[in-house]
C-alpha cells in the first residue's frame, strides 16, 4: 500500500527499513512515548524480524512513513478481537528531525480513512502519555475526541504514568 501525504508517503514496510527503524526506536525522545515490554536497546535484527511479521499480516495494519525511500516514522493499527472486533488502537511516531512539519497529522488522517473505509472499522482509539502534547494535538487536528484520563495506566521507565484516551468514530455516509 502507498498513500501520498504531499512530501511524504504512508507505505508498506520493506526489509531495507530495519536499520533506521532500530535507530529511531532507540532515540530517547521517541522511546519515551512508545510502548515497551522492558526498557532496553532495540536491535536491527529485532526490527528486521518485526518487519517480516507485519509484512505477512492480512489485512495490512502497520506502515512506514517515508520520504522517498527513507523511513521517517511509523503508524499502525492493532485490530481488536471478540466483542471489540469493530475497533483498533492507533499508534504512530515520527523521527525527531521531522517533527513540526504536519507529517504525523497527515499520516493519522490517511490511516484513519483506510481503517474506516477499507477495513470497515467503526472505532479507532489512541492512548497518549501525559506530557506528549504534540501527539494530543495531532489527534485533535484529526477530529479524535478526548474520552478521558487513564490514571496510572502504564508503567514506563519504572514509574506509573497517566495516559489520555482519544477516540474517533466512523461516520456513515
Amino acid at each position: 500500500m502507498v498513500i501520498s501525504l504531499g512530501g511524504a508517503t504512508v507505505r508498506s514496510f520493506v526489509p531495507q527499513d530495519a536499520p533506521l527503524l532500530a535507530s529511531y526506536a532507540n532515540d530517547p525522545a521517541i522511546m519515551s512515548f512508545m510502548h515497551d515490554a522492558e526498557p532496553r536497546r532495540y536491535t536491527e535484527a529485532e526490527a528486521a524480524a518485526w518487519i517480516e511479521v507485519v509484512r505477512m499480516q492480512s489485512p495490512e495494519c502497520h506502515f512506514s512513513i517515508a520520504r522517498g525511500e527513507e523511513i521517517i516514522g511509523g503508524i499502525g493499527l492493532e485490530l481488536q478481537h471478540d466483542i471489540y472486533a469493530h475497533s483498533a488502537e492507533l499508534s504512530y511516531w515520527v523521527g525527531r528531525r521531522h517533527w513540526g512539519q504536519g507529517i504525523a497529522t497527515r499520516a493519522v488522517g490517511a490511516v484513519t480513512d483506510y481503517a474506516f473505509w477499507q477495513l470497515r472499522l467503526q472505532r479507532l482509539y489512541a492512548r497518549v502519555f501525559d506530557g506528549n502534547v504534540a501527539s494530543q494535538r495531532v489527534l485533535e487536528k484529526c477530529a479524535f475526541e478526548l474520552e478521558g484520563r487513564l490514571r496510572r495506566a502504564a508503567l514506563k521507565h519504572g514509574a506509573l504514568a497517566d495516559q489520555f484516551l482519544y477516540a474517533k468514530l466512523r461516520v456513515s455516509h
Side-chain angles (χ1 to χ4, degrees):
M1 177 177 89
V2 176
I3 301 171
S4 177
L5 303 176
T9 58
V10 170
R11 64 161 170 79
S12 302
F13 275 100
V14 295
Q16 297 87 335
D17 292 334
L20 277 175
L21 177 59
S23 175
Y24 283 126
N26 290 310
D27 180 338
I30 295 170
M31 188 187 340
S32 65
F33 294 122
M34 292 178 69
H35 295 217
D36 60 12
E38 58 187 80
R40 60 173 178 74
R41 188 143 180 81
Y42 189 65
T43 68
E44 191 175 320
E46 289 171 316
W50 183 83
I51 288 170
E52 284 309 307
V53 168
V54 299
R55 286 174 52 85
M56 295 179 357
Q57 285 182 329
S58 181
E60 188 173 13
C61 289
H62 295 275
F63 309 98
S64 67
I65 302 169
R67 277 212 169 119
E69 297 300 313
E70 181 181 323
I71 182 177
I72 62 170
I75 187 164
L77 299 165
E78 280 299 320
L79 300 177
Q80 302 301 293
H81 305 282
D82 196 32
I83 63 172
Y84 306 108
H86 64 285
S87 66
E89 181 176 9
L90 172 72
S91 59
Y92 53 90
W93 58 271
V94 174
R96 192 188 316 209
R97 71 178 194 262
H98 304 284
W99 289 356
Q101 300 173 28
I103 295 166
T105 301
R106 293 192 304 275
V108 166
V111 171
T112 297
D113 286 346
Y114 168 78
F116 287 157
W117 305 112
Q118 299 298 315
L119 301 181
R120 311 296 293 168
L121 296 173
Q122 298 297 312
R123 174 185 166 83
L124 293 182
Y125 67 92
R127 292 176 288 177
V128 180
F129 281 96
D130 188 11
N132 191 349
V133 176
S135 194
Q136 290 176 289
R137 286 292 303 135
V138 165
L139 293 167
E140 290 164 358
K141 288 178 187 176
C142 292
F144 280 70
E145 294 182 24
L146 177 63
E147 291 191 333
R149 181 183 203 106
L150 306 171
R151 297 179 316 144
R152 294 185 283 182
L155 182 63
K156 187 72 176 173
H157 302 299
L160 290 170
D162 289 2
Q163 291 181 310
F164 294 100
L165 179 64
Y166 282 83
K168 184 172 183 174
L169 304 178
R170 179 176 171 217
V171 177
S172 299
H173 291 287

